[in-house]
């Protein structure tokens, strides 16, 4: 019974994993890589310190 | 499941990000501000007179440094979402996730997003010559993706085939080469640029090890709270 519950959960839980990864990638892309002026200036120091390509 | 990922990622990202931002402001920001004095032309390297290596760099700038703290927390929260998602995937496939082995996940994360791209695209001080930013971003994302897959294969692969593929994935971006500038025009002394890269890596490693530790800790704790069966 317990095994069946774990299996059922394993099959249905790939979606939240993919969704979370996409959120993470989107946050990194917007805060670290988008070149729009205001965003670039605000995040400038962090982008350099975090080793992202900047300018 | 999603609540567990969300909670673990938010707590781990915010706490590691806050510590990372304080480390950056203490150790990386002064080097960056020093470099900007050369970038702006206020100081000139190899000019008529030798320039003192000790400059007044100003104190805490509430607006500028406040934004840096905000964005550091944001970026590490983004990393936390990816890290915890991968931990969840590994957990599902039978791996045990704890605070202790979270440290190793943290080191792997550092290698993936800092060290692997940074080996050929070193953390830059402001003012250095560099190739077009879009091309560098494409190379950066491709290298991070290759390194991430490679480390997963090293960790969870069980034969020489995945390990061999991992080695190729780690080496290939550097064998192909990162986009380079046509000529060198950087006005910043090499001493400052080298210190900047070293500090960026050092702070990055510390932040990532903490991120892995916190992510593992919260993942374990949230699992116990939800009553998910623990691996023995």
């Amino acid at each position: 019974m317990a095994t069946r519950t774990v299996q059922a959960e394993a099959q249905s839980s790939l979606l939240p994993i993919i969704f979370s990864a996409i959120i993470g990638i989107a946050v990194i892309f917007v805060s670290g890589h988008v070149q729009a002026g205001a965003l670039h200036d605000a995040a400038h120091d962090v982008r350099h310190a975090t080793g992202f390509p900047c300018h | 499941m999603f609540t567990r990922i969300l909670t673990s990622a938010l707590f781990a990202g915010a706490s590691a990000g806050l510590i990372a931002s304080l480390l950056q402001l203490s150790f990386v920001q002064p080097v960056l501000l020093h470099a900007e004095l050369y970038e702006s032309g206020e100081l000139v390297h190899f000019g008529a007179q030798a320039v003192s290596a000790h400059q007044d760099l100003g104190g805490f700038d509430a607006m500028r440094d406040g934004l840096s703290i905000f964005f550091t927390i944001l970026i590490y929260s983004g990393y936390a979402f990816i890290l915890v998602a991968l931990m969840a995937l590994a957990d599902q496939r039978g791996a045990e996730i704890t605070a202790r082995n979270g440290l190793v996940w943290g080191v792997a994360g550092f290698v993936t997003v800092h060290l692997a791209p940074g080996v050929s695209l070193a953390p830059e001080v402001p003012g250095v010559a560099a190739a077009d930013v879009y091309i560098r971003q494409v190379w950066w994302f491709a290298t991070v993706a290759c390194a991430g897959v490679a480390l997963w294969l090293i960790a969870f692969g069980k034969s020489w085939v995945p390990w061999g593929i991992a080695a190729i994935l780690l080496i290939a971006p550097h064998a192909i080469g990162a986009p380079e500038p046509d000529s060198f025009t950087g006005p910043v002394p090499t001493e400052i640029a080298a210190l900047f890269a070293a500090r960026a890596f050092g702070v990055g490693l510390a932040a990532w090890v903490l991120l892995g530790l916190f992510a593992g800790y919260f993942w374990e704790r949230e699992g116990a709270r939800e009553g998910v069966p623990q691996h023995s």
Side-chain angles (χ1 to χ4, degrees), chain B:
Chain B
M1 176 70 167
F2 185 63
T3 319
R4 189 179 177 193
I5 296 179
L6 187 78
T7 317
S8 309
L10 283 179
F11 277 116
S15 35
L18 182 63
I19 298 172
S21 68
L22 298 178
L23 287 172
Q24 278 179 0
L25 286 180
S26 312
F27 296 107
V28 185
Q29 188 69 4
V31 188
L32 184 140
L33 293 174
H34 199 170
E36 282 188 344
L37 295 176
Y38 289 91
E39 185 192 24
S40 66
E42 198 177 324
L43 296 179
V44 180
H45 192 37
F46 292 134
Q49 287 175 336
V51 181
S52 166
H54 307 281
Q55 301 289 333
D56 178 19
L57 302 170
F60 183 79
D61 179 335
M63 181 68 181
R64 180 172 182 173
D65 295 341
L67 278 170
S68 292
I69 293 173
F70 173 76
F71 273 101
T72 307
I73 292 174
L74 200 61
I75 285 172
Y76 277 92
S77 299
Y79 281 149
F81 268 91
I82 302 169
L83 181 66
V84 176
L86 292 172
M87 282 177 163
L89 186 63
D91 186 310
Q92 242 177 51
R93 296 159 60 100
E96 192 187 4
I97 306 294
T98 62
R100 180 177 283 270
N101 68 26
L103 294 168
V104 180
W105 280 82
V107 173
F110 167 76
V111 171
T112 302
V113 305
H114 273 252
L115 192 61
V119 164
S120 286
L121 220 52
E124 310 162 339
V125 282
V128 298
D132 181 66
V133 66
Y134 293 106
I135 303 172
R136 280 183 294 140
Q137 285 178 338
V138 168
W139 190 89
W140 189 91
F141 273 106
T143 305
V144 167
C146 286
V149 172
L151 290 190
W152 185 276
L153 290 175
I154 290 171
F156 298 109
K158 289 185 170 44
S159 73
W160 286 102
V161 177
W163 296 333
I165 295 172
I168 293 169
L169 284 173
L170 283 174
I171 294 168
H174 306 283
I176 293 165
E180 289 174 356
D182 295 328
S183 58
F184 297 123
T185 56
V188 178
T190 51
E191 291 88 337
I192 294 178
L195 180 62
F196 185 85
R199 288 268 172 98
F201 278 138
V203 168
L205 177 59
W208 263 100
V209 167
L210 289 173
L211 183 65
L213 171 73
F214 295 152
Y217 170 78
F218 285 114
W219 179 258
E220 209 179 5
R221 207 191 66 148
E222 289 302 303
R225 229 165 53 93
E226 286 181 9
V228 175
Q230 300 293 304
H231 302 283
S232 54

Side-chain angles (χ1 to χ4, degrees), chain A residues 13 33 35 45 48 52 55, chain B residues 29 64 92 124 136-137:
Chain A
S13 53
H33 297 272
Q35 288 295 314
D45 297 354
H48 277 281
F52 293 147
H55 305 292
Chain B
Q29 188 69 4
R64 180 172 182 173
Q92 242 177 51
E124 310 162 339
R136 280 183 294 140
Q137 285 178 338

Side-chain angles (χ1 to χ4, degrees), chain A:
Chain A
M1 178 65 183
T3 320
R4 204 177 301 159
T5 317
V6 171
Q7 274 176 353
E9 197 201 331
Q11 280 161 5
S12 65
S13 53
L14 207 57
L15 211 60
I17 289 176
I18 294 169
F19 187 58
S20 310
I22 290 173
I23 294 178
I25 292 166
V27 169
I28 295 298
F29 185 74
V30 172
S31 53
H33 297 272
V34 170
Q35 288 295 314
L39 202 55
H40 170 273
D41 293 348
H44 172 269
D45 297 354
V46 180
R47 289 181 178 193
H48 277 281
T50 318
F52 293 147
C54 197
H55 305 292

